[in-house]
Amino acid sequence: MTVIDKIAWIRFDAGRVLSTRSRGKDVYYLPGGKREPGETDLQTLVREIDEELTVAVVPESARHFGTFQAQAHGHAAGIAVRMTCYTADYRGALAPSSEIEEIVWLTYADRSKVSPVDQVIFDHLREAGLLAEAPQ
């Protein structure tokens, strides 16, 4: 099995989780992306969030939330994505940048709109009581 290594940011607000949709895509993904050669998880997180959302992650606030794996969306069978997730504070105002077309706040009711690995994460968030069932 081939595994794509990704780092993601989990940001909550009132029972919702921050998500993004890239240009030309029809599903939402947690913000983040692939590690560049030699980067640590934290370096990847800081770089990707700055590139995608124009905010600065506060590195000392970053906490590992969990690592999740599922079939990679849009890839052949047997190609998985491993998503290592972090929570962290940030400075600045969230705004789509780079390849990001849309920023949204999702609840568990939106589970069918996200990638397979994000669906696994949504299930975990719901079980932990961190993700609302529907908009309030």
Side-chain angles (χ1 to χ4, degrees):
M1 174 184 289
T2 301
V3 178
I4 300 168
D5 176 33
K6 293 183 111 179
I7 306 298
W9 185 35
I10 299 210
R11 185 71 193 178
F12 300 106
D13 181 29
R16 302 171 304 162
V17 67
L18 180 67
S19 196
T20 59
R21 186 177 55 78
S22 297
R23 293 188 206 301
K25 300 288 184 177
D26 61 352
V27 297
Y28 293 96
Y29 299 88
L30 293 172
K34 295 178 188 171
R35 179 190 322 271
E36 297 204 350
E39 277 186 329
T40 65
D41 286 2
L42 186 56
Q43 289 167 333
T44 303
L45 181 71
V46 168
R47 177 184 53 76
E48 284 286 343
I49 300 312
D50 176 55
E51 288 175 4
E52 292 184 357
L53 302 174
T54 69
V55 296
V57 166
V58 178
E60 57 274 10
S61 72
R63 299 289 177 265
H64 180 257
F65 182 82
T67 302
F68 307 88
Q69 187 167 312
Q71 169 65 37
H73 178 259
H75 290 268
I79 299 178
V81 62
R82 180 181 305 121
M83 189 88 75
T84 304
C85 300
Y86 289 85
T87 59
D89 294 330
Y90 69 97
R91 288 189 291 274
L94 295 167
S97 183
S98 189
E99 76 272 8
I100 302 303
E101 186 165 347
E102 182 181 13
I103 298 172
V104 293
W105 292 92
L106 303 177
T107 66
Y108 193 74
D110 301 302
R111 183 181 181 275
S112 65
K113 300 175 185 175
V114 302
S115 71
V117 72
D118 285 17
Q119 289 180 5
V120 171
I121 296 166
F122 271 43
D123 292 344
H124 178 79
L125 294 174
R126 180 176 155 230
E127 289 168 14
L130 297 170
L131 190 60
E133 290 290 328
Q136 301 179 12

